[in-house]
Amino acid sequence: MKKDILRRDFIKILSGTTTFGLAYRYGLFPHLISGPVRDALALENDDISLRPPEEKWETSICQQCQGGCGILVRVYGDRAVKIDGNPLHPINRGRLCARGQSGLQYLYDPDRIKGPMAREGARGEGKWKPISWDQALAELGDKLKTLRNQGKSHALAMLTGPQRGLAKNVSDRFMEAYGSPNLIRNQSDRPSGKTPAFHLMQGSDAGITYDIEDTNYILSFNSGLLEDHWSSVQLSRAYGKFRRGNKDERGKLVHIEPRLSVTGAKADQWVPINPGTEGVLAMGIASVIIIERRYDEEFIDERTLGFEDWTDEKGASHPGFKTLVIQEYPLEKVAKVTGVPRDMIMSLAREFVHHQPGVAIGNDGEWIGNQGIYNRMAIHALNGLVGNIQKKGGILSNARLPEIPLPPFSPDPVSAKGRSMPRIDGAGRSRYSLVQDAPENLAEQILKKQPYPIEILLIHGANPVYESPEPDRLVSALNQIPTVVSFSSSMDETTRYADIILPDSIYLEKWQLDTSYTLKGNPLVSVAKPVVAPTYDTRDTSEILIALAGVMGKPVSSAFPSAKSEDLVKASLHPLHASASGEAFGAQLEELWTKLLEQSGWKVRSQEPFDKFLADVQERGGWWDPVYYPWEWERALSTPSGKFEFYSLTARKYFSDLKGMDKDLALQKIPSPVGMDKLDAACLPLADPGVSKENDTLYNLELNPYVIPILSGLNQTNQPWLQDISGFHVYQEWHTWVEVNPETADKIGIQNGDWVWVESPKGKIKAQTRLFKGAMPDVINLPVGLGHASGGRWTTGIGENVLKILLAEKEPFSGKVHFQRSRARLTKTNA
Amino acid sequence: MAKWGMVIDLDKCTACQACVVACQAENNVPISNPETAKAGRSIHWLEMIPFVDDEYPHVRMRLLPRPCMHCENPPCIKVCPVGATQISSEGIVGQINARCIGCRYCTTACPYTVKYFNWFKPEWPKGMERYLNPDVTVRYNGVVEKCTFCHHRLQKARDLAQYEHRELGPDDYIPACVQTCPAEAMYFGDLGNPKSTVSILSQSKRAFLLMEDLGTHPKVIYLSEGV
């Protein structure tokens, strides 16, 4: 058989040689020549230019979302032709999602910004002229230097997306050396981060994770589990094992959401629920568990605070979780608010307890779907009730990340003075004392010039004009700032309002140092070198910042020991090597061996020289610590009481420290249950459906927005592979659709495919009707992620920006903006 | 002689569509745009198909990744007037693009609708052609294309095995979709070998075939959701 195949190949090659040979020589359709033909041509002609180029697989880190997957890139000569998972990387073990695969279209996007540009004409007019890097850096460096010399270093602000590893360290260092407190990072709310609800109840600042792989039961409260979780690959791998691993029991998934999503479709049971009421349902389930005394008494006694009513050290008594649940969430009320029948709430509660270890998961999404802090607390309280904290198949808190700092330096007095100024976004003070960043306040503060005006704004990895609930206000805020600099690699909505664009290279073109966690709580550090040379005249933003520091000269420039990311990556790895913990990524067998050795007392200590360590880590893609100790309670429960707090002492301190108007504002929206002090209520999981489902004759429908999974987390959406499959479940792509229940459509008088105006009290957008039986009657679903005003041929003007018609609310504690569901109506229109 | 086949475990599958994109990247499938999509002419060798059943609130949605079934008795080859689509001795149903006259009989004959006609000249904007896979020939307009189980990978794997003087191993050859599957829900191998993973899984009581009653004998086997 083998001979047959070879003969066939040979004939194919011969027949191809003459026809294609000539065409190839004249440079016609070179990509029509397949590998074997090209090889044969090279042999026949002995022409060195026709020989196949060198081919290799290089390790790198995917940055299409924040998942932190390790990748291998097939590099053919000087071009990247395929991306696959790195089999040694503990996050994804050789697997990769659609977005990861699509990285090639991000790299070779023809609409990328191809070099530095300066604005011509008015802001936002879209007229640009190319400038050289030298000129751009010199001009901006001079401005920065002048501002600093005027003693106004604090008037520089930098707005970034979520950053980790090297990118984070360099931005931090740049702002520190320059002397500004205003590094405003749009931090993510994901479990692997400082999530407010978990911070209030468990304290664990390194974030928590769900042990999906070994759990028996998942009670998913609109969690976007299979659609919008980081890393989606890691989650999928764990999900596969949850369903069909080597356990005795096949894991069961129950999904609660207003619409039949992919997670709902894959679940064993889909429970439709009135939009926004998931937290109330969680409290209903809690009431069944409490009344039937099915909770974990041992855990509640030993490791929780505020389950029963309790008395503080001053002798004041406070209501507990139990009192709140019994008093405020009787089953009838919960059934009425959520639309979930009483019997079903009871059976969900019993099943959840019966199938332990199981987990209750809510939504930690960025701006859409996030249930708000009190609803998240209510859902997380279920985990406390069944005591699945720090258990296999339960909730694990992430182990501490090792230090990977830049080499130390000492800031000068100018820097110290600038850094002592209050932050422009107010983070870390009064109402925002619990958060490190409050980007949502930026527009307002810039417009008010409070506490001082901003002179220069640097924007990197963030596109607030698209995501803002008030884009116009943000644009006028940007227009107040004399100099706005964007590092974006694509012409996104925010970059349009910049004065100077210094385009960033994308991840495949630069050195990277990245940190993340496995779903088992193991910390890891990934390392990557560029796999291809920059496609266009772009530079790594870290190197741009260092170059700017260089233009300013000493003392700012001395903050960086080298101008190259490569040197900084290597320098940052020294402390990791010296810590002698963990190891370079390896096959799963090696991981088992390390665990065995360490757990039996033979701690593996790395004694290899640094060069060997560096080579290993680079070749395999990174370092991690495969050993996890679940009994480290002081890290898992690092609340003021050292316990799982149903009654959050952190929240109590937060409210108690507030004064005057700030306190009133913070407590304003919190309902006060009968006979309960408002301050007490504000420290408990007071789940609240928010906007109630009123009888509104003008807006007769409920609008439920959701994130398009395939576009979630992307830096830019100008990727036709992904755009083409965005709405596969309703056979719709390349335009915004609205999912309507067939009965509801009948009532309104619209049919599948009809164009409609979707109108909320805030505004209206055009969408195409898709009849979908997985939509609840009178609830319409709208996909979020389309409707970009700029950014490239496969994203500009594709669909509508749904955010325009959604109401937004600022969350207590964090000030984060959450887009809410809204009332809406549909009216027929023309295409 | 190997009989290449695939098993897709729907209980593990998360419908993430990684397979869909991996396939397009590997096989130089022409990229789509709004007009092409609207005309129903986007090409997906592997596509995620939704089946919505029953009525609210008991509605069920099934999501099936659908590559070519590589039927043992393929209807497409019977209607081809020029022998452009054929089944190999190892069971891979291939398309010889150079021989195809674009009559589209096969696209009609295939009950799984896995055959795609190139209505337009495939074009990549300047610079984007750099990511094209050097192992796979780009098709031209007027011909039909389809999933090949990434058979160029089989050729490479076989060459390598021969060069290293060894037999082709069970993991040497897998298509791009199977390689990337995040949930590890896709399996690929020799259905002719009773000890292979795919053979064992195909005997599962959860196993089913698409439109089995047509007598096409698909070599893509699904495992249903649930216990």
Side-chain angles (χ1 to χ4, degrees):
Chain A
M1 183 58 229
K2 266 182 200 164
K3 272 185 190 150
D4 271 8
I5 288 281
L6 286 173
R7 195 177 65 226
R8 214 183 314 156
D9 278 356
F10 187 63
I11 291 167
K12 208 166 78 189
I13 289 162
L14 274 189
S15 66
T17 312
T18 37
T19 357
F20 284 116
L22 280 170
Y24 187 79
R25 188 131 336 143
Y26 293 104
L28 299 174
F29 41 93
H31 50 262
L32 286 183
I33 314 280
S34 72
V37 176
R38 190 196 308 257
D39 298 355
L41 281 174
L43 280 176
E44 185 203 0
N45 298 311
D46 195 27
D47 177 350
I48 203 156
S49 69
L50 284 179
R51 285 202 191 132
E54 198 194 338
E55 185 181 329
K56 52 195 183 232
W57 288 88
E58 300 273 19
T59 51
S60 185
I61 311 159
C62 184
Q63 295 291 351
Q64 284 268 53
C65 81
Q66 297 293 308
C69 293
I71 51 176
L72 290 179
V73 184
R74 183 181 174 201
V75 182
Y76 190 79
D78 59 357
R79 21 182 215 117
V81 297
K82 186 80 202 311
I83 304 177
D84 271 307
N86 173 2
L88 296 179
H89 203 287
I91 294 273
N92 56 321
R93 293 270 178 216
R95 306 297 173 141
L96 202 60
C97 77
R99 285 163 289 174
Q101 288 283 352
S102 178
L104 295 169
Q105 290 193 333
Y106 184 14
L107 174 68
Y108 292 132
D109 173 6
D111 301 321
R112 266 176 72 179
I113 295 172
K114 299 186 173 71
M117 297 202 287
R119 175 170 61 87
E120 274 192 325
R123 281 246 177 103
E125 203 181 308
K127 284 189 185 157
W128 301 92
K129 64 163 192 266
I131 49 171
S132 72
W133 276 103
D134 287 344
Q135 192 193 346
L137 291 173
E139 280 178 14
L140 182 59
D142 272 350
K143 278 187 182 163
L144 285 166
K145 194 172 177 176
T146 312
L147 187 68
R148 194 172 195 270
N149 288 345
Q150 289 167 352
K152 292 199 285 188
S153 65
H154 56 274
L156 169 72
M158 185 173 186
L159 178 67
T160 79
Q163 288 186 317
R164 300 188 300 227
L166 183 75
K168 174 176 189 292
N169 289 349
V170 171
S171 319
D172 282 344
R173 174 65 57 92
F174 179 83
M175 294 302 273
E176 190 185 354
Y178 185 80
S180 168
N182 295 315
L183 174 50
I184 298 143
R185 205 169 264 136
N186 213 340
Q187 282 294 12
S188 89
D189 240 14
R190 304 286 165 152
S192 307
K194 192 172 168 177
T195 313
F198 303 129
H199 180 67
L200 293 188
M201 297 177 89
Q202 280 193 240
S204 34
D205 287 350
I208 62 127
T209 171
Y210 305 101
D211 188 3
I212 301 291
E213 181 178 332
D214 282 313
T215 199
N216 284 334
Y217 191 88
I218 301 174
L219 191 55
S220 157
F221 292 87
N222 200 353
S223 67
L225 185 72
L226 301 183
E227 295 136 300
D228 189 25
H229 208 97
W230 291 344
S231 128
S232 70
V233 181
Q234 190 178 197
L235 199 281
S236 291
R237 282 182 57 235
Y239 175 79
K241 294 198 173 98
F242 157 77
R243 287 302 206 182
R244 300 268 153 204
N246 297 321
K247 293 175 301 175
D248 307 332
E249 193 179 334
R250 171 181 173 272
K252 185 172 177 183
L253 168 64
V254 174
H255 185 67
I256 301 153
E257 189 182 346
R259 71 183 268 276
L260 182 59
S261 59
V262 168
T263 312
K266 285 290 168 184
D268 298 279
Q269 188 184 352
W270 168 52
V271 182
I273 183 170
N274 289 336
T277 61
E278 294 101 18
V280 177
L281 180 65
M283 292 303 265
I285 292 172
S287 81
V288 177
I289 296 177
I290 290 173
I291 289 167
E292 297 184 355
R293 292 186 69 92
R294 290 175 190 270
Y295 49 86
D296 183 339
E297 287 185 40
E298 194 186 323
F299 180 82
I300 290 202
D301 284 350
E302 284 177 18
R303 301 219 181 264
T304 70
L305 172 94
F307 178 71
E308 304 279 356
D309 297 347
W310 58 290
T311 315
D312 62 24
E313 65 274 17
K314 287 178 196 144
S317 64
H318 303 281
F321 180 65
K322 194 169 155 183
T323 307
L324 178 75
V325 168
I326 307 281
Q327 182 188 318
E328 291 298 311
Y329 301 94
L331 269 195
E332 284 72 23
K333 183 179 160 191
V334 171
K336 188 160 171 282
V337 172
T338 60
V340 179
R342 223 183 106 116
D343 290 353
M344 194 181 285
I345 302 176
M346 292 173 76
S347 70
L348 286 178
R350 290 169 191 160
E351 254 188 25
F352 181 57
V353 175
H354 180 71
H355 288 282
Q356 286 298 317
V359 287
I361 306 183
N363 196 318
D364 308 299
E366 289 298 277
W367 17 275
I368 290 290
N370 194 311
Q371 288 147 328
I373 197 155
Y374 286 111
N375 292 321
R376 285 300 285 113
M377 283 174 79
I379 294 162
H380 194 47
L382 291 177
N383 294 314
L385 276 186
V386 294
N388 64 10
I389 312 296
Q390 292 301 100
K391 275 189 190 154
K392 190 175 176 182
I395 310 286
L396 303 175
S397 72
N398 291 323
R400 276 188 220 298
L401 272 177
E403 297 284 321
I404 41 165
L406 294 178
F409 93 112
S410 30
D412 69 339
V414 180
S415 158
K417 181 173 163 280
R419 299 275 288 176
S420 68
M421 297 290 283
R423 280 173 67 103
I424 176 111
D425 64 348
R429 280 179 290 130
S430 81
R431 278 180 69 196
Y432 304 105
S433 63
L434 287 181
V435 291
Q436 289 163 321
D437 305 272
E440 288 80 1
N441 295 340
L442 212 51
E444 201 182 324
Q445 298 298 101
I446 291 171
L447 283 173
K448 281 200 290 193
K449 299 188 194 295
Q450 287 295 329
Y452 44 79
I454 290 294
E455 305 277 339
I456 301 177
L457 175 67
L458 313 176
I459 304 172
H460 178 217
N463 184 10
V465 175
Y466 175 74
E467 294 172 7
S468 168
E470 298 172 305
D472 297 341
R473 202 168 149 77
L474 187 63
V475 169
S476 25
L478 290 179
N479 287 339
Q480 296 277 315
I481 302 172
T483 309
V484 177
V485 184
S486 170
F487 297 100
S488 178
S489 65
S490 68
M491 189 59 77
D492 57 43
E493 284 86 346
T494 312
T495 301
R496 290 196 304 167
Y497 296 96
D499 302 301
I500 310 170
I501 306 173
L502 303 174
D504 190 12
S505 294
I506 82 153
Y507 58 101
L508 297 170
E509 302 165 332
K510 56 188 181 187
W511 280 88
Q512 298 185 73
L513 188 64
D514 189 32
T515 58
S516 55
Y517 291 98
T518 69
L519 285 176
K520 291 274 189 190
N522 311 96
L524 49 92
V525 177
S526 307
V527 183
K529 63 174 193 288
V531 298
V532 287
T535 311
Y536 300 110
D537 188 16
T538 61
R539 291 191 188 177
D540 170 2
T541 299
S542 295
E543 291 188 354
I544 301 175
L545 289 176
I546 301 171
L548 285 172
V551 175
M552 283 182 264
K554 283 186 178 175
V556 182
S557 62
S558 52
F560 299 98
S562 165
K564 285 191 182 154
S565 287
E566 175 178 0
D567 299 334
L568 297 180
V569 166
K570 288 175 181 170
S572 307
L573 288 172
H574 273 288
L576 188 61
H577 172 250
S579 76
S581 62
E583 61 189 11
F585 298 157
Q588 268 156 312
L589 264 181
E590 293 175 44
E591 171 197 337
L592 285 177
W593 180 237
T594 310
K595 278 186 186 167
L596 195 71
L597 281 179
E598 182 154 334
Q599 276 156 9
S600 51
W602 294 85
K603 175 112 166 87
V604 191
R605 294 201 69 89
S606 151
Q607 301 200 324
E608 62 206 359
F610 180 73
D611 288 347
K612 163 97 176 44
F613 173 77
L614 183 67
D616 255 14
V617 165
Q618 271 194 45
E619 188 198 324
R620 290 157 176 254
W623 168 101
W624 75 316
D625 191 347
V627 185
Y628 181 86
Y629 297 108
W631 53 82
E632 287 177 0
W633 286 104
E634 62 281 8
R635 187 192 69 241
L637 298 177
S638 52
T639 50
S641 64
K643 290 180 170 178
F644 183 98
E645 294 182 353
F646 286 108
Y647 184 111
S648 174
L649 296 181
T650 312
R652 188 168 178 86
K653 180 168 187 308
Y654 166 82
F655 286 115
S656 307
D657 287 352
L658 287 178
K659 296 200 173 60
M661 258 237 316
D662 279 335
K663 190 168 189 167
D664 297 342
L665 272 174
L667 285 170
Q668 185 187 15
K669 285 201 179 138
I670 294 167
S672 41
V674 184
M676 213 178 265
D677 177 34
K678 197 159 190 174
L679 184 58
D680 278 329
C683 302
L684 286 162
L686 199 62
D688 176 23
V691 194
S692 62
K693 203 175 169 179
E694 294 153 25
N695 289 329
D696 188 335
T697 44
L698 192 55
Y699 298 100
N700 54 345
L701 303 168
E702 188 85 3
L703 194 168
N704 176 46
Y706 70 96
V707 176
I708 298 176
I710 204 103
L711 302 178
S712 157
L714 293 175
N715 289 308
Q716 55 95 307
T717 51
N718 196 36
Q719 302 173 35
W721 281 334
L722 301 182
Q723 289 281 1
D724 199 34
I725 53 176
S726 59
F728 76 100
H729 63 292
V730 287
Y731 297 103
Q732 172 94 45
E733 290 92 18
W734 302 96
H735 205 283
T736 297
W737 64 93
V738 54
E739 296 165 14
V740 188
N741 181 288
E743 277 175 33
T744 310
D746 246 12
K747 215 164 65 185
I748 309 171
I750 51 171
Q751 291 178 345
N752 197 38
D754 281 353
W755 286 90
V756 288
W757 285 110
V758 185
E759 198 175 346
S760 84
K762 199 178 156 195
K764 64 177 184 178
I765 57 163
K766 206 186 247 186
Q768 196 169 17
T769 309
R770 285 290 169 211
L771 297 192
F772 184 52
K773 289 195 251 180
M776 286 174 82
D778 297 332
V779 178
I780 54 170
N781 306 306
L782 266 185
V784 177
L786 298 171
H788 281 278
S790 60
R793 65 194 77 182
W794 295 290
T795 188
T796 307
I798 302 293
E800 300 270 2
N801 186 355
V802 173
L803 303 180
K804 278 189 211 159
I805 64 164
L806 296 180
L807 303 174
E809 210 166 272
K810 276 193 177 182
E811 186 174 272
F813 301 107
S814 66
K816 261 190 186 300
V817 166
H818 291 147
F819 289 93
Q820 308 279 316
R821 66 191 201 283
S822 152
R823 299 294 295 175
R825 64 177 169 194
L826 297 179
T827 38
K828 215 162 146 176
T829 179
N830 300 319
Chain B
M1 178 98 43
K3 275 279 174 237
W4 300 109
M6 187 186 287
V7 173
I8 303 176
D9 189 341
L10 298 176
D11 207 24
K12 294 171 99 181
C13 171
T14 63
C16 72
Q17 308 197 83
C19 49
V20 176
V21 178
C23 167
Q24 298 198 305
E26 176 76 14
N27 291 300
N28 299 340
V29 175
I31 48 182
S32 187
N33 58 49
E35 293 74 43
T36 308
K38 199 176 169 193
R41 289 170 180 178
S42 298
I43 300 181
H44 296 108
W45 291 10
L46 169 52
E47 196 170 8
M48 192 66 70
I49 312 269
F51 292 95
V52 183
D53 221 354
D54 295 335
E55 294 302 319
Y56 180 87
H58 303 292
V59 54
R60 292 291 296 175
M61 182 160 66
R62 254 195 154 171
L63 305 162
L64 257 83
R66 188 240 47 203
C68 170
M69 297 292 130
H70 292 274
C71 310
E72 268 304 277
N73 183 19
C76 58
I77 67 170
K78 296 177 187 162
V79 296
C80 181
V82 291
T85 180
Q86 300 199 342
I87 182 162
S88 81
S89 51
E90 291 177 274
I92 296 179
V93 179
Q95 185 82 18
I96 304 161
N97 307 114
R99 209 182 271 175
C100 177
I101 56 169
C103 69
R104 291 182 280 138
Y105 286 1
C106 61
T107 60
T108 315
C110 173
Y112 308 102
T113 64
V114 304
K115 305 203 106 186
Y116 291 88
F117 184 66
N118 277 280
W119 289 90
F120 312 101
K121 185 174 167 228
E123 273 174 319
W124 284 266
K126 193 175 173 302
M128 218 164 181
E129 78 288 345
R130 273 176 283 194
Y131 71 59
L132 291 178
N133 184 352
D135 300 337
V136 177
T137 308
V138 170
R139 283 73 55 188
Y140 26 94
N141 55 325
V143 302
V144 166
E145 60 179 81
K146 68 177 290 295
C147 158
T148 62
F149 268 172
C150 293
H151 77 287
H152 55 281
R153 289 185 170 211
L154 173 60
Q155 289 166 5
K156 273 184 125 177
R158 189 162 272 145
D159 284 353
L160 187 67
Q162 198 175 32
Y163 175 75
E164 290 171 354
H165 302 290
R166 58 177 174 84
E167 291 290 309
L168 194 68
D171 295 330
D172 285 350
Y173 162 43
I174 51 166
C177 52
V178 179
Q179 184 183 352
T180 205
C181 179
E184 301 174 14
M186 297 172 96
Y187 304 85
F188 188 79
D190 181 4
L191 285 171
N193 174 3
K195 287 181 184 155
S196 70
T197 311
V198 281
S199 288
I200 294 165
L201 288 173
S202 71
Q203 299 303 313
S204 156
K205 63 180 194 310
R206 295 191 292 130
F208 72 94
L209 302 169
L210 279 191
M211 300 190 226
E212 195 176 4
D213 48 333
L214 296 179
T216 50
H217 300 292
K219 286 198 294 296
V220 173
I221 297 137
Y222 293 91
L223 303 181
S224 67
E225 305 92 337
V227 186

